[in-house]
Amino acid sequence: MKKKVLIPAFASAALLVLAGCSSDGQSGDGLFIDVPDIPMAEELGEPEGQLDIVAWSGFVEPAWADQFTEDTGCVVNRRVAGTSDEMVTLMRTGEYDLVSASGDASLRLIAAGDVAPINLDLIPNFGDDIVEGMKGQIYDTINGQSYGVPIGRGANILQYNSDVVTETPESWSVVWETDSPYAGQITAYDAPIYIADAAVYLMYHEPELGITNPYALDQTQLDAAIDLLKQQNTIVAEYWADPVAQITSFLGGTTVVGTSWEVLRKFTEDTEKFQGVLPVEGSTGWSDAWMISSQSDSVNCAYLWMDYTSAADVNGQIAMNFGMAPANAAFCETSEEAAAHCEQFNATDEEYFDNVWYWTTPIEQCIDGRTDVQCTNFQQWTQAWLTVKG
């Protein structure tokens, strides 16, 4: 094990205690909850020469990692993870310095003391060009303190095969209701966080449930979401967690409509045939950020990497390589190709992303501001999800 353990693990997300908060449990300074007191770097020293990163595929490539090594002397070692759960598990080994965490992992890492707060003053490229919609979010900004440096974001769209689904679907009803004309040809995401997708649908169609945030569900609301998911299970052809499997399912014709990432369309070759839309109900989505391990012994290299990848050109390379909206909006003005990419992924369209609920780890304290009930946590979501597919 390369990393030396400096700080012990702390309470799980289920034990977070809500501190003073605004009416919706958050503000421009993120979420207000009690978390472990982890020290933050105050200044940087000499690079340590090595940096171990857990990242999504496409986030750490030789095209920019080699230049970083040449500039800093920090050799980058990459470990690709396929799911947020895998990222959390790997970060808890103490062997990695950085992770490209999505919102369904970040609060778990913060609550357990696995990651340290970030001193943004040590990241010069984190400036005015970082899109506002990725700053101060509740999944990685706690008590006014940042724990993440934004990389990119995207919506979980409704993808469809236009040869079969000949009219653009305006609603998610085509994947939730049993009378869908595409029953038996539907694909759905295979993870507990997908419960939030059901909650988004219920927010719109069953307002009497009182859901105002799909990640803040009391037991009654969670039960309603699970009932909807069990209903959907009867018309689902395949669940997917591996993007390759989802692409294969669409290409093979097993599925013709369902939840997808915008990036997956570019791998289908026939992008005219496979279309995507953000339905009227809105959607869930994801926003990824670099987070630094509280056990890292390469803090200087880690900060240098976060600064390097926050620059417009490098952040843009990552965004184009993965297929997402970049965090640094200045990239959109660097070339016609960059501008086209930003338009495709709605990079600076905050009105679009106002309809997207970024993945956020469910915790017992209701992040919608309610104090008269207890909300369900990620462990409860995980247990409930196991009942969906039987």
Side-chain angles (χ1 to χ4, degrees):
M1 180 179 293
K2 171 180 175 285
K3 297 289 173 277
K4 53 182 180 289
V5 178
L6 300 178
I7 299 170
F10 290 82
S12 69
L15 299 179
L16 289 174
V17 179
L18 191 66
C21 60
S22 62
S23 60
D24 62 354
Q26 63 189 73
S27 72
D29 292 326
L31 187 66
F32 283 78
I33 53 178
D34 287 344
V35 295
D37 186 14
I38 306 295
M40 180 181 71
E42 297 296 336
E43 59 183 6
L44 297 184
E46 291 297 317
E48 298 85 357
Q50 184 168 314
L51 183 63
D52 297 322
I53 303 177
V54 177
W56 297 113
S57 177
F59 276 43
V60 183
E61 298 298 319
W64 49 87
D66 289 349
Q67 184 61 53
F68 172 76
T69 299
E70 182 177 336
D71 292 345
T72 66
C74 300
V75 176
V76 177
N77 302 308
R78 178 192 67 169
R79 170 70 180 266
V80 173
T83 66
S84 289
D85 286 348
E86 184 181 1
M87 287 186 174
V88 171
T89 299
L90 289 171
M91 286 300 288
R92 287 178 177 168
T93 67
E95 297 182 34
Y96 300 92
D97 303 293
L98 281 175
V99 62
S100 61
S102 296
D104 58 333
S106 53
L107 272 183
R108 283 185 275 170
L109 293 169
I110 295 168
D114 297 313
V115 293
I118 292 174
N119 187 342
L120 295 177
D121 291 338
L122 302 179
I123 306 175
N125 283 320
F126 186 92
D128 294 338
D129 290 326
I130 302 298
V131 294
E132 288 301 318
M134 294 185 70
K135 295 179 179 179
Q137 292 289 340
I138 63 174
Y139 47 78
D140 63 9
T141 303
I142 305 299
N143 305 331
Q145 176 61 61
S146 175
Y147 285 78
V149 174
I151 309 168
R153 59 181 173 173
N156 295 322
I157 61 169
L158 179 61
Q159 181 170 297
Y160 62 98
N161 182 334
S162 61
D163 285 352
V164 180
V165 185
T166 55
E167 294 186 9
T168 301
E170 297 181 356
S171 169
W172 284 104
S173 62
V174 294
V175 302
W176 290 111
E177 302 299 339
T178 54
D179 62 355
S180 169
Y182 314 109
Q185 297 175 289
I186 294 167
T187 182
Y189 192 52
D190 191 0
I193 204 68
Y194 185 60
I195 292 171
D197 291 66
V200 168
Y201 187 75
L202 292 172
M203 284 172 62
Y204 188 91
H205 293 280
E206 298 186 28
E208 64 274 13
L209 285 170
I211 301 173
T212 60
N213 185 308
Y215 306 101
L217 305 181
D218 60 36
Q219 190 60 57
T220 299
Q221 294 165 339
L222 176 62
D223 290 343
I226 293 300
D227 286 344
L228 180 60
L229 286 158
K230 288 179 177 179
Q231 172 180 295
Q232 184 193 50
N233 176 253
T234 65
I235 58 174
V236 166
E238 287 186 0
Y239 290 91
W240 68 276
D242 179 359
V244 175
Q246 196 257 17
I247 295 167
T248 301
S249 182
F250 263 96
L251 291 176
T254 302
T255 57
V256 300
V257 65
T259 302
S260 183
W261 301 335
E262 178 71 25
V263 59
L264 300 184
R265 287 181 56 221
K266 78 175 185 178
F267 295 110
T268 61
E269 295 182 1
D270 189 351
T271 56
E272 293 301 317
K273 177 179 179 180
F274 297 100
Q275 296 291 323
V277 63
L278 186 68
V280 64
E281 298 92 349
S283 181
T284 60
W286 43 269
S287 180
D288 294 332
W290 297 117
M291 306 186 84
I292 186 170
S293 171
S294 57
Q295 302 179 49
S296 173
D297 58 7
S298 294
V299 173
N300 297 296
C301 283
Y303 267 87
L304 290 172
W305 175 265
M306 290 188 289
D307 186 52
Y308 174 73
T309 54
S310 293
D313 56 342
V314 182
N315 181 249
Q317 289 180 64
I318 296 173
M320 291 190 69
N321 190 54
F322 184 77
M324 62 182 174
N328 193 324
F331 168 72
C332 303
E333 302 175 3
T334 59
S335 69
E336 291 185 3
E337 182 183 20
H341 176 87
C342 289
E343 182 177 2
Q344 177 186 353
F345 290 93
N346 303 285
T348 59
D349 187 351
E350 294 303 335
E351 185 175 349
Y352 176 88
F353 281 105
D354 281 346
N355 296 310
V356 175
W357 295 88
Y358 299 123
W359 284 346
T360 304
T361 306
I363 59 176
E364 289 181 358
Q365 289 69 39
C366 297
I367 60 175
D368 59 4
R370 287 180 293 168
T371 58
D372 57 336
V373 296
Q374 186 177 69
C375 278
T376 51
N377 60 43
F378 188 74
Q379 182 179 4
Q380 291 170 289
W381 281 40
T382 300
Q383 293 170 340
W385 176 249
L386 293 176
T387 71
V388 170
K389 296 185 293 181

